[in-house]
């Protein structure tokens, strides 16, 4: 285990640099900048939700808009919503919940912008498949092939971190804790199931996600609502505590101690990015495969992913955790560094079925994320080396799923943070440099909604 300890120390040192003030400013600043550049596109969220369940069958693409959205949601609604928020609270204090939520609110604009340029600069392969993402936007929109290659490399690496290892490790951890199942057995089971789906391509992945995502999200939200009913008298105090500790260094309330503004922001924003992936450039890869007549329409649909993931689910998880801590003084947050443990204690308040809700929630969330990220990694691997890379990538991906339970959880999370940051940097550069294009097409949509809904935008690239 010494080698893992050495690697973890090194990775933590790298993360201190990657997730320092410059990265927080770049990420959150991009969210704010694109919010204003798009005319506060968040105000169109409910229209976007309507569009997400509206078919666009006569358009080019591989899967439906809803299929693209649920595949993206499968990748984002994962352990970040359960264990990630718990980790943010444990290490950054209750104030981290607000920073996580704000990352989602303003991140809606970034997710919108990512999807817009992904569809605008997408290409059709010789066999008729649609491919797009930050790598194509960097290459075709900015003529920065070298940066496109870097993004694709970082995305492939990230798929093994956030996509397979973190998720499988979380599944193994919860099964071992609650059912005493050996980690190696869980790894093999997850590997076999993953292989059975991802070898069917994006249509197979989307088909599974369309069925699994609505069920898993609703199931988990019901569990959270039950806990909030138990903690009803601490809901308002918990929200007040979250707001106060987000901006007051060393603040204390209800037996909780704040970790300072920088720590709250660092873990809140990092876990917010991990959860909703706004700014990473991952979800737009599948958005580019959607059947849509124009980039603006799909961009709106894609933006709802951040709304559901962070503005709703992560916020609910944060209030559940903080209200549970305040209601149960026996929970010693100071000695908890594992977000999963904190979340388990909160769900243990539900008699008889609390554990089952959490286990089913984590397993379904994590497995769907494994599937979604397999697609992201495939597309980036294909961009780098062509179709001949698909089989080797799939084999390596399944192998990483099987091996994940043998690696310590803290190291897995730290590696995921590293890859997330490295992947986000070139994507954010693309968004900022192409913000003029994003603003121009957004204005066309806002000024003439009916025409964009029923026809192509003039001058829009295929």
């Amino acid at each position: 285990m010494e080698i893992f300890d050495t690697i973890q120390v090194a990775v933590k040192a790298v993360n201190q640099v990657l997730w320092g003030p410059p990265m927080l400013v770049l990420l959150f600043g991009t969210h704010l900048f694109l919010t204003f550049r798009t005319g506060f596109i968040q105000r169109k969220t409910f229209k976007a939700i309507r569009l997400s369940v509206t078919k666009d069958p006569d358009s080019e693409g591989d899967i439906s808009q809803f299929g693209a959205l649920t595949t993206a949601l499968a990748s984002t609604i994962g352990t970040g919503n359960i264990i990630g928020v718990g980790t943010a609270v444990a290490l950054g204090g209750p104030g981290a919940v607000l920073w996580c939520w704000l990352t989602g609110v303003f991140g809606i604009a970034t997710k919108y912008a990512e999807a817009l340029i992904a569809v605008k600069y997408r290409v059709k392969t010789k066999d008729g498949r649609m491919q797009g993402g930050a790598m194509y936007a960097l290459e075709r929109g900015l003529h920065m092939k070298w940066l496109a290659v870097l993004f694709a490399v970082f995305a492939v690496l990230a798929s093994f971190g956030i996509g397979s290892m973190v998720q499988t490790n979380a599944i193994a951890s919860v099964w071992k804790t609650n059912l005493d199942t050996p980690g190696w057995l869980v790894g093999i089971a997850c590997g076999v199931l993953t292989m059975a789906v991802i070898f069917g391509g994006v249509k197979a992945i989307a088909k599974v996600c369309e069925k699994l995502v609505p069920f898993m999200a609703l199931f988990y939200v019901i569990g959270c609502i039950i806990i909030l009913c138990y903690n009803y008298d601490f809901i308002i105090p918990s929200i007040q505590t979250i707001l106060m500790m987000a901006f007051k260094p060393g603040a204390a309330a209800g037996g909780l101690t704040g970790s300072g503004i920088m720590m709250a922001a660092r873990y809140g924003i990092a876990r917010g990015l991990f959860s909703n992936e706004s700014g990473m450039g991952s979800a737009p890869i599948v958005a580019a495969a959607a059947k849509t007549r124009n980039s603006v329409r799909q961009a709106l649909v894609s933006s709802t992913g951040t709304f559901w993931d962070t503005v709703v689910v992560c916020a609910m998880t944060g209030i559940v955790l903080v209200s549970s801590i305040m209601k149960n003084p026996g929970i010693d947050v100071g000695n908890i560094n594992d977000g999963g443990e904190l979340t388990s204690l909160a769900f243990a308040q539900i008699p008889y079925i609390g554990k089952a809700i959490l286990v089913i929630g984590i397993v379904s969330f994590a497995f769907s994320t494994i599937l979604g990220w397999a697609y992201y990694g495939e597309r980036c691997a294909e961009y780098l080396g062509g179709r001949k890379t698909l089989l080797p990538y799939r084999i390596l991906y399944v192998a990483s799923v099987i091996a994940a339970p043998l690696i310590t959880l803290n190291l897995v999370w730290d590696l995921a943070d590293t890859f997330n940051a490295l992947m986000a940097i070139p994507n954010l550069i693309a968004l900022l440099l192409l913000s003029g294009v994003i603003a121009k097409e957004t204005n066309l949509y806002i000024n003439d909604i009916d025409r964009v809904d029923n026809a192509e935008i003039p001058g829009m690239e295929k």
Side-chain angles (χ1 to χ4, degrees), residues 390-403:
L390 293 184
L391 181 58
Y393 173 81
R394 288 170 178 170
I395 292 172
L396 285 174
Y397 193 81
V398 171
S400 71
V401 169
I402 295 172

Side-chain angles (χ1 to χ4, degrees), residues 32-88:
L32 290 173
F33 175 72
L34 291 173
T35 293
F36 289 105
R37 203 75 170 92
T38 60
F40 212 96
I41 201 67
Q42 289 88 336
R43 62 195 173 91
K44 296 293 182 181
T45 295
F46 292 107
K47 175 180 177 59
I49 292 173
R50 179 179 65 79
L51 287 175
S52 70
V53 293
T54 303
K55 292 183 178 181
D56 200 3
D58 298 326
S59 302
E60 286 191 306
D62 302 328
I63 56 177
S64 67
Q65 289 181 305
F66 185 68
L69 174 62
T70 53
T71 302
L73 278 172
S75 305
T76 53
I77 299 184
T79 54
N81 300 85
I82 303 176
I83 297 176
V85 177
T87 301

Side-chain angles (χ1 to χ4, degrees), residues 85 162-163 196 317 332 354 371 414 425 429 443 460:
V85 177
I162 184 177
T317 301
D332 186 1
L371 299 181
D414 288 337
I425 292 171
I429 291 172
N443 288 335
M460 188 167 284

Side-chain angles (χ1 to χ4, degrees), residues 3-305:
I3 187 171
F4 285 132
D5 294 336
T6 302
I7 294 174
Q8 187 167 352
V9 170
V11 172
K12 279 186 176 294
V14 171
N15 283 344
Q16 289 297 319
V17 176
L18 288 175
W19 285 106
M23 181 60 178
L24 299 183
V25 171
L26 175 62
L27 180 62
F28 207 76
T30 301
H31 290 346
L32 290 173
F33 175 72
L34 291 173
T35 293
F36 289 105
R37 203 75 170 92
T38 60
F40 212 96
I41 201 67
Q42 289 88 336
R43 62 195 173 91
K44 296 293 182 181
T45 295
F46 292 107
K47 175 180 177 59
I49 292 173
R50 179 179 65 79
L51 287 175
S52 70
V53 293
T54 303
K55 292 183 178 181
D56 200 3
D58 298 326
S59 302
E60 286 191 306
D62 302 328
I63 56 177
S64 67
Q65 289 181 305
F66 185 68
L69 174 62
T70 53
T71 302
L73 278 172
S75 305
T76 53
I77 299 184
T79 54
N81 300 85
I82 303 176
I83 297 176
V85 177
T87 301
V89 172
L91 300 179
V97 176
L98 178 65
W99 287 104
C100 182
W101 187 76
L102 288 174
T103 301
V105 171
F106 292 107
I108 289 173
T110 301
K111 183 65 71 71
Y112 165 85
E114 290 175 319
L116 191 154
I117 60 175
V119 176
K120 178 174 177 61
Y121 295 109
R122 69 183 179 177
V123 299
K124 181 184 285 188
T125 62
K126 291 180 180 179
D127 56 356
R129 293 175 298 118
M130 287 293 188
Q131 298 209 36
M135 57 280 199
Y136 292 96
L138 285 163
E139 180 182 348
R140 301 183 69 219
L142 295 171
H143 308 292
M144 301 172 72
K145 175 77 173 181
W146 65 274
L147 196 55
V149 170
L150 278 180
F151 171 84
V153 170
F154 293 146
V156 170
L157 293 174
S159 72
F160 292 111
I162 184 177
S164 65
M165 291 193 295
V166 165
Q167 311 305 326
T168 312
N169 201 298
I171 294 173
S173 177
V174 75
W175 273 83
K176 182 173 180 58
T177 300
N178 295 283
L179 300 171
D180 199 28
T181 306
W184 63 267
L185 184 58
V186 174
I188 291 174
C190 288
V192 171
L193 290 173
T194 300
M195 182 171 61
V197 178
I198 68 173
F199 275 77
V202 65
K203 292 183 179 180
I205 293 172
K207 187 175 181 180
V208 172
C209 292
E210 282 182 2
K211 300 293 189 298
L212 183 59
V213 169
F215 160 77
M216 72 183 192
L218 180 63
F219 189 79
Y220 178 72
V221 166
I222 290 173
C224 287
I225 291 173
I226 293 173
I227 295 174
L228 290 176
C229 289
Y230 276 99
N231 300 347
Y232 72 94
D233 48 341
F234 286 92
I235 293 176
I236 299 301
S238 68
I239 294 174
Q240 292 172 336
T241 299
I242 288 169
L243 294 173
M244 179 179 70
M245 292 191 180
F247 301 105
K248 288 189 177 181
L256 291 163
T257 302
S259 299
I261 296 175
M262 278 307 300
M263 288 294 283
R266 182 256 189 263
Y267 284 102
I269 294 175
R271 291 295 173 253
L273 173 62
F274 185 96
S275 175
N276 62 54
E277 299 175 14
S278 293
M280 279 181 63
S282 49
I285 295 173
V286 72
K291 293 178 181 178
T292 184
R293 281 167 285 178
N294 56 68
S295 60
V296 181
R297 183 185 177 97
Q298 180 56 38
L300 279 172
V301 173
S302 294
S303 71
T304 63

